[in-house]
Amino acid sequence: MSDKLMISRMGASVPDTIWVQGRNLCTELLGKIGFAEMTWLELTGELPSKAQTTLLEAMLLTLVEHGATPMAIATRLTYLGAPEALQGAVAAGLLGMGTTFAGTAEGAAKMLYAGLKDAPADADIDTIAKTIVDRELDAGRPIFGIGHNLHKPIDPRTPVLFAIAEQQGYRGRFVDLIEAVAAAAEARTGKSMPVNATGALGALCCELGLDWRLCRGLAVIGRSVGLVGHIAEEPRNPIAKQIWMHTEEEIARSVAIANAKQGQDA
Amino acid sequence: MSDKLMISRMGASVPDTIWVQGRNLCTELLGKIGFAEMTWLELTGELPSKAQTTLLEAMLLTLVEHGATPMAIATRLTYLGAPEALQGAVAAGLLGMGTTFAGTAEGAAKMLYAGLKDAPADADIDTIAKTIVDRELDAGRPIFGIGHNLHKPIDPRTPVLFAIAEQQGYRGRFVDLIEAVAAAAEARTGKSMPVNATGALGALCCELGLDWRLCRGLAVIGRSVGLVGHIAEEPRNPIAKQIWMHTEEEIARSVAIANAKQGQDA
Amino acid sequence: MSDKLMISRMGASVPDTIWVQGRNLCTELLGKIGFAEMTWLELTGELPSKAQTTLLEAMLLTLVEHGATPMAIATRLTYLGAPEALQGAVAAGLLGMGTTFAGTAEGAAKMLYAGLKDAPADADIDTIAKTIVDRELDAGRPIFGIGHNLHKPIDPRTPVLFAIAEQQGYRGRFVDLIEAVAAAAEARTGKSMPVNATGALGALCCELGLDWRLCRGLAVIGRSVGLVGHIAEEPRNPIAKQIWMHTEEEIARSVAIANAKQGQDA
Amino acid sequence: MSDKLMISRMGASVPDTIWVQGRNLCTELLGKIGFAEMTWLELTGELPSKAQTTLLEAMLLTLVEHGATPMAIATRLTYLGAPEALQGAVAAGLLGMGTTFAGTAEGAAKMLYAGLKDAPADADIDTIAKTIVDRELDAGRPIFGIGHNLHKPIDPRTPVLFAIAEQQGYRGRFVDLIEAVAAAAEARTGKSMPVNATGALGALCCELGLDWRLCRGLAVIGRSVGLVGHIAEEPRNPIAKQIWMHTEEEIARSVAIANAKQGQDA
């Protein structure tokens, strides 16, 4: 067998003690820290400051619930088929937290880190923003974290998140940069393209110094709460079976119309 | 299409407002409540008291991290194969939160609710406990939430959780009952069978009045944090590939030994 | 480290050879056997007879596709959110193959194996069937594999599957028993309660001598084909976004009606 | 509600008939076609020729089983935690079929389609191959479908798959191109870089005219069979708990060594 060591410092257990990140779960953590602090501890190996905790809590809350999303529908349909396995219903919903939704926070954070990577302290943020916008739009790519189909002219979550960041001393150059990117995109396209909630989350991940890959992780953690919430509501307000039946009926109706139309055309 | 209404009151959005459980996300929740309060709100539709929040936070923390569990290993192996989809790696780990692990909290809560369902206020808890223990052991079934392979003679998490519950005014008959069940099981079997952490969580779910089905949901929420934590550690301390290689080597070694032994026996 | 051997005989690889179930993939399997034979080999470690292959293929085909099922909808919604991870979209759909749908085949097979476990060769099938039906209905439980919401008075798949089994020499006492169970259930309830497709699959699993736990596995294998099929159709006929939008609209409409009604009642 | 039609032609059901891709399941498919033909029908809406079926079967077989892969380990660990939900254990394993493993078939197919997209019939394949190799290696990217850690100097599956394709009349320009790519990569790097199994599968997807996105779908279908196979073996040869225990032991041992070493260094 390989001589290479297999190191992990996440946790360990002996009969009378459970260690989490090198801390005693029972004497140092339970009843001493909150759930958001535990999240930070798991992600970084350190306990957060009060300011970091406050900002992280707001970020985690942002993506918990957004009504009948594709993820929430998938969870409720899966729970209908496999009520014995709540974990499977939550997993099914989380699987939709991909590039289309949560991936934009990740993409925004990656873009912001890259944009400021080698930038000197006095670099002109607007110039960097314009370079990013031109590069992405010239290549025909969307700019992560900018614009929203529903929330117009602004995404109401963004100013609240940035205000909390400012109160906690975490409004810095990454927030400046994404706001400059939004302004540059508006200037070039002539369309309203404000920073959306995933863009704000991406910028705040950078302000907190978290790996851009973990943006999606924060989205997954927050959404897991929301998906358990949907399972909790399903017995009170059952909608899964109706969504199924409506879909079958709508497809049958649509196919009949399409077939009749083909018949007429023939 | 069916005339039946399709009601859900989890959340709704209009361009300038996002409603979560009938509350304005941006003005009433973000920066105003913590992540555990949001979890309670999602599960019940109400905001929790301070005491409920404190107890829920301890419960959520309990199952976040337990080192290299089967779930954590599954998550890290999946991340090795599909690093483009962090959500899939978390989902893979959550899928192991079934009857063997998280299901015992659920089973304990169900057992405790049933045990006290029609019990008058002055019912004798010890008698109820003995009835439960005799029924389960006579049928050859394990008693949910009692005993632990590693944490002996007691599970160190249980007294801490029950102490927090007592401080917050939530140590009631359900805690009494599971302690009585443990005592009755020890009396009958002569073996040490203390209340374990999942038993404690099940009892506290009952004290908080949460549906027993949601015990597994709390486990899933807490563990989602831990699994994202394992993904965060994997780049620093990569172990997924080693687990895979060790397993292949160990199987090859074992099969060679078994085959050689069969040859000798023949 | 433990001295216990870690044995698995599923497969092994050396630079120039890949072994699957002790057979050389490249010289004994590829181009020599079909996909259903490979499935049998994986499940049992043996290659099937021609009759077993024919029956297994019919069984696998039965559950591949049933239109816009909850599983297919979950897959398509997940693909909308995470198109970078087709495997996640298939997984999301498979997670709905639980007790409600695939579990009935499993339950039927378990019931049939138990019913004939200690029965002598000349046992009276009708008497065994009546015992099962009385026990289940007296306990208020549904009988697995009997009755169907849509497919009445008979499930058209059942006679076809049983005819194929008969042609291949696999119509035996388990098929007799489930037909007797259906007849006994009809006699007792006065309602039409024919053997449905999952009941037929459960009986045929028993005829083939497969573990009842693997019934759900056959359903999962078959359905994985169907779910990839739905992903293949989605770009041609995109419906995922419409299902999401319809659901949001229907909930908004329903909640408005319900709220207005509450206002009138007040 | 939107006026847009919601079209899907995968399947439909009325009480006495189940339609799959416009065909009557009971009279046209069950007992008439095999499992691989059904797979082709689901993916394309058409029944395959005999040659297409033979080639598709070989392709599906290729990825079914490769021993104790990360996916198989994830499935067995998940089954340990949630034996009530076989579907979840299979899903957990499938979630690892991402870019690292199955994604290379997808990437190879995409590369081959792009390479021959606007190429005239008499285009020089070697020149196209060299262009691809230079572009990818200059950009520091790996070439999909070329080279293998274990299977050297050739992947034994590749010549078998290409021989079957040739027998069935499906060895065309895409196979020529991937072989030319391998030769060009060897010429430039001086290392042995043969076409591996995923490269062969990608090329054959192109020869069959399947969308490159479906390469990963074929891998998922094949592997679902293998993962159910691992679940079938687990009761006979239980290894999941041992993998867990070995991993915990190995981490404890490694951390102790690392800590001792740090102490010496201090």
Side-chain angles (χ1 to χ4, degrees):
Chain A
M1 206 164 282
S2 163
D3 289 341
K4 207 178 151 197
L5 297 180
M6 192 191 283
I7 304 287
S8 170
R9 297 185 183 278
M10 298 303 287
S13 300
V14 291
D16 65 354
T17 310
I18 293 154
W19 302 96
V20 173
Q21 303 281 348
R23 287 168 170 83
N24 185 320
L25 173 68
C26 294
T27 61
E28 295 182 76
L29 303 178
L30 283 180
K32 309 283 168 63
I33 68 168
F35 191 39
E37 287 164 290
M38 184 70 163
T39 301
W40 183 278
L41 177 62
E42 280 286 288
L43 296 186
T44 69
E46 305 290 334
L47 284 171
S49 68
K50 185 77 193 61
Q52 288 166 332
T53 304
T54 301
L55 184 51
L56 182 65
E57 288 208 301
M59 292 165 66
L60 287 167
L61 254 66
T62 302
L63 294 181
V64 165
E65 179 60 69
H66 211 256
T69 56
M71 298 72 135
I73 299 172
T75 285
R76 292 175 87 139
L77 289 170
T78 305
Y79 193 60
L80 178 71
E84 80 279 12
L86 179 143
Q87 72 275 14
V90 176
L94 291 181
L95 290 170
M97 300 295 283
T99 46
T100 309
F101 304 112
T104 56
E106 192 178 283
K110 194 178 177 183
M111 170 184 84
L112 297 172
Y113 270 131
L116 292 177
K117 193 171 173 238
D118 302 312
D122 62 348
D124 185 62
I125 296 289
D126 291 336
T127 307
I128 296 173
K130 193 170 177 312
T131 307
I132 291 172
V133 167
D134 287 344
R135 184 191 63 219
E136 297 303 310
L137 295 186
D138 287 350
R141 288 191 292 257
I143 301 171
F144 291 120
I146 306 291
H148 200 284
N149 282 336
L150 174 65
H151 297 301
K152 298 179 189 172
I154 65 156
D155 185 323
R157 296 166 290 193
T158 301
V160 179
L161 287 167
F162 286 171
I164 294 169
E166 186 153 21
Q167 288 157 16
Q168 303 302 329
Y170 276 97
R171 193 194 194 293
R173 292 167 87 206
F174 295 106
V175 172
D176 290 344
L177 179 55
I178 199 156
E179 291 193 330
V181 165
E186 292 196 353
R188 173 161 161 170
T189 64
K191 286 191 247 173
S192 170
M193 296 190 74
V195 179
N196 63 34
T198 58
L201 292 173
L204 297 179
C205 266
C206 297
E207 296 290 354
L208 289 170
L210 297 173
D211 189 322
W212 61 264
R213 285 170 198 83
L214 296 180
C215 283
R216 201 184 287 210
L218 295 182
V220 163
I221 292 169
R223 191 51 59 93
S224 76
V225 172
L227 296 174
V228 176
H230 276 270
I231 292 172
E233 195 204 30
E234 180 70 16
R236 292 198 303 277
N237 291 325
I239 65 170
K241 198 169 179 185
Q242 280 191 77
I243 294 170
W244 173 22
M245 292 299 129
H246 279 214
T247 302
E248 285 202 341
E249 288 167 20
E250 183 62 23
I251 289 173
R253 193 183 70 87
S254 294
V255 169
I257 292 172
N259 289 350
K261 198 161 175 302
Q262 284 187 323
Q264 288 175 341
D265 294 347
Chain B
M1 207 163 281
S2 164
D3 289 341
K4 208 178 150 197
L5 296 181
M6 191 190 284
I7 304 289
S8 170
R9 296 186 182 279
M10 298 304 286
S13 300
V14 292
D16 64 353
T17 311
I18 293 154
W19 303 95
V20 173
Q21 304 281 346
R23 286 167 171 85
N24 186 320
L25 173 67
C26 294
T27 61
E28 295 182 78
L29 303 177
L30 283 180
K32 308 284 168 62
I33 67 169
F35 191 39
E37 288 165 288
M38 185 71 163
T39 301
W40 183 278
L41 178 62
E42 278 287 289
L43 296 185
T44 70
E46 306 289 335
L47 284 171
S49 68
K50 185 76 192 63
Q52 287 166 333
T53 303
T54 301
L55 184 50
L56 182 65
E57 289 208 302
M59 293 165 66
L60 286 168
L61 254 66
T62 302
L63 295 181
V64 165
E65 179 60 68
H66 212 255
T69 56
M71 298 72 136
I73 299 171
T75 285
R76 292 173 88 138
L77 288 170
T78 304
Y79 193 61
L80 179 70
E84 79 278 11
L86 179 144
Q87 71 275 15
V90 176
L94 291 181
L95 290 170
M97 300 295 283
T99 47
T100 308
F101 303 112
T104 56
E106 192 178 283
K110 193 178 177 183
M111 171 185 85
L112 297 172
Y113 270 131
L116 291 178
K117 192 169 174 241
D118 302 311
D122 62 348
D124 186 61
I125 296 290
D126 291 336
T127 308
I128 296 173
K130 193 172 178 311
T131 307
I132 291 172
V133 168
D134 287 344
R135 183 192 63 217
E136 297 303 311
L137 296 186
D138 288 351
R141 288 191 291 257
I143 301 171
F144 291 120
I146 306 291
H148 199 283
N149 282 336
L150 174 65
H151 297 301
K152 299 177 190 173
I154 66 156
D155 186 324
R157 296 165 289 191
T158 301
V160 178
L161 287 168
F162 286 170
I164 293 169
E166 186 153 22
Q167 288 158 15
Q168 303 301 331
Y170 277 97
R171 194 196 194 290
R173 294 167 86 205
F174 294 107
V175 172
D176 291 344
L177 180 53
I178 199 156
E179 291 192 329
V181 165
E186 292 196 352
R188 172 160 162 171
T189 63
K191 286 190 247 173
S192 170
M193 295 189 77
V195 179
N196 63 34
T198 58
L201 292 174
L204 296 179
C205 267
C206 297
E207 297 289 354
L208 289 171
L210 297 174
D211 189 322
W212 61 264
R213 284 170 200 84
L214 296 181
C215 283
R216 200 182 289 210
L218 295 182
V220 164
I221 292 169
R223 190 51 59 94
S224 76
V225 172
L227 296 174
V228 175
H230 276 269
I231 292 171
E233 195 204 30
E234 180 70 17
R236 290 198 303 277
N237 292 324
I239 65 171
K241 196 167 180 186
Q242 280 191 77
I243 294 170
W244 172 24
M245 292 298 128
H246 280 214
T247 301
E248 284 202 342
E249 287 167 19
E250 183 62 25
I251 289 173
R253 194 184 68 88
S254 294
V255 169
I257 293 172
N259 288 351
K261 199 163 175 302
Q262 283 188 323
Q264 289 175 340
D265 295 349
Chain C
M1 207 163 280
S2 163
D3 289 342
K4 209 179 148 196
L5 296 181
M6 191 191 284
I7 304 287
S8 170
R9 298 186 182 278
M10 299 303 287
S13 300
V14 290
D16 65 352
T17 311
I18 293 155
W19 303 94
V20 174
Q21 304 280 348
R23 286 166 171 85
N24 185 321
L25 173 66
C26 294
T27 60
E28 296 182 77
L29 302 179
L30 284 180
K32 307 286 168 60
I33 68 169
F35 190 39
E37 287 164 289
M38 184 70 162
T39 301
W40 182 279
L41 177 63
E42 278 288 288
L43 296 185
T44 69
E46 305 290 334
L47 285 172
S49 68
K50 186 76 193 65
Q52 288 166 331
T53 304
T54 301
L55 184 50
L56 182 66
E57 289 209 300
M59 293 167 65
L60 287 167
L61 254 65
T62 301
L63 294 181
V64 165
E65 179 61 67
H66 212 255
T69 57
M71 296 72 132
I73 298 171
T75 285
R76 292 173 87 138
L77 288 170
T78 304
Y79 193 60
L80 179 70
E84 79 279 12
L86 180 142
Q87 73 274 15
V90 176
L94 290 181
L95 289 170
M97 299 297 283
T99 48
T100 309
F101 303 112
T104 55
E106 192 178 282
K110 194 178 176 183
M111 172 184 84
L112 298 172
Y113 270 131
L116 291 178
K117 192 170 175 242
D118 301 313
D122 62 348
D124 185 62
I125 296 290
D126 291 336
T127 306
I128 296 173
K130 193 170 176 313
T131 306
I132 291 173
V133 167
D134 288 343
R135 184 190 64 217
E136 297 303 311
L137 295 186
D138 288 350
R141 288 191 293 257
I143 301 171
F144 291 119
I146 306 291
H148 200 284
N149 283 335
L150 174 65
H151 296 303
K152 300 177 189 174
I154 66 155
D155 185 324
R157 297 166 290 192
T158 301
V160 178
L161 287 168
F162 286 171
I164 294 169
E166 186 153 20
Q167 289 157 15
Q168 303 300 331
Y170 276 97
R171 194 196 194 291
R173 292 168 86 207
F174 296 105
V175 173
D176 291 344
L177 179 54
I178 200 156
E179 291 192 328
V181 165
E186 291 195 354
R188 174 162 161 170
T189 63
K191 286 190 249 175
S192 170
M193 296 189 76
V195 179
N196 63 34
T198 60
L201 291 174
L204 297 179
C205 267
C206 297
E207 296 290 355
L208 288 171
L210 297 173
D211 189 321
W212 61 265
R213 286 170 199 82
L214 296 181
C215 282
R216 198 182 291 210
L218 295 182
V220 163
I221 292 168
R223 190 52 57 96
S224 76
V225 172
L227 296 174
V228 175
H230 277 268
I231 292 172
E233 195 204 30
E234 180 70 16
R236 292 199 302 276
N237 292 325
I239 64 171
K241 198 169 179 184
Q242 280 192 77
I243 294 170
W244 172 23
M245 292 298 128
H246 279 215
T247 301
E248 284 202 342
E249 288 167 19
E250 183 61 24
I251 289 173
R253 194 183 69 87
S254 293
V255 169
I257 293 172
N259 289 351
K261 198 161 175 306
Q262 282 187 325
Q264 289 175 341
D265 294 350
Chain D
M1 206 163 282
S2 163
D3 289 342
K4 210 179 147 196
L5 296 180
M6 191 190 282
I7 303 288
S8 170
R9 297 186 183 279
M10 299 302 288
S13 299
V14 291
D16 65 353
T17 311
I18 293 155
W19 303 94
V20 173
Q21 303 280 348
R23 286 168 170 82
N24 186 320
L25 173 67
C26 294
T27 61
E28 296 182 77
L29 303 177
L30 284 181
K32 308 285 167 61
I33 67 169
F35 190 38
E37 287 164 290
M38 185 69 162
T39 301
W40 182 279
L41 177 62
E42 278 287 288
L43 296 185
T44 68
E46 306 290 334
L47 284 172
S49 68
K50 186 76 191 65
Q52 288 166 332
T53 304
T54 301
L55 183 51
L56 182 65
E57 288 209 300
M59 292 166 66
L60 286 167
L61 253 67
T62 301
L63 294 181
V64 164
E65 179 62 67
H66 211 256
T69 57
M71 297 72 134
I73 299 172
T75 285
R76 293 173 87 138
L77 288 170
T78 304
Y79 193 60
L80 179 70
E84 78 279 12
L86 179 143
Q87 74 274 13
V90 177
L94 291 181
L95 289 170
M97 300 296 282
T99 46
T100 309
F101 303 112
T104 54
E106 192 179 281
K110 193 177 176 184
M111 171 184 84
L112 297 172
Y113 271 131
L116 292 178
K117 192 170 175 242
D118 302 312
D122 62 347
D124 184 63
I125 296 289
D126 291 336
T127 306
I128 296 173
K130 193 170 177 312
T131 306
I132 291 173
V133 168
D134 287 343
R135 184 191 63 217
E136 297 303 310
L137 295 186
D138 288 350
R141 288 192 292 257
I143 301 171
F144 292 121
I146 305 292
H148 200 284
N149 282 335
L150 174 64
H151 296 302
K152 301 176 191 175
I154 66 156
D155 185 325
R157 296 166 290 191
T158 301
V160 179
L161 287 168
F162 286 171
I164 294 169
E166 186 153 20
Q167 289 157 14
Q168 303 302 330
Y170 276 97
R171 195 194 193 293
R173 293 168 86 208
F174 295 106
V175 173
D176 291 343
L177 179 54
I178 200 157
E179 292 193 327
V181 165
E186 292 196 354
R188 171 160 163 170
T189 64
K191 286 190 248 174
S192 170
M193 296 189 77
V195 179
N196 63 34
T198 58
L201 291 174
L204 296 179
C205 267
C206 298
E207 296 289 354
L208 289 171
L210 296 174
D211 189 322
W212 61 265
R213 286 170 198 81
L214 296 180
C215 282
R216 198 183 292 210
L218 295 182
V220 164
I221 292 168
R223 191 51 58 93
S224 76
V225 172
L227 295 174
V228 174
H230 276 269
I231 292 172
E233 194 203 31
E234 180 69 18
R236 292 198 303 276
N237 292 325
I239 65 170
K241 197 169 180 184
Q242 280 192 78
I243 294 170
W244 172 24
M245 292 297 128
H246 279 213
T247 301
E248 284 201 341
E249 288 166 18
E250 183 62 23
I251 289 173
R253 194 182 69 87
S254 293
V255 169
I257 292 171
N259 289 350
K261 199 163 175 302
Q262 283 188 324
Q264 289 175 340
D265 295 348

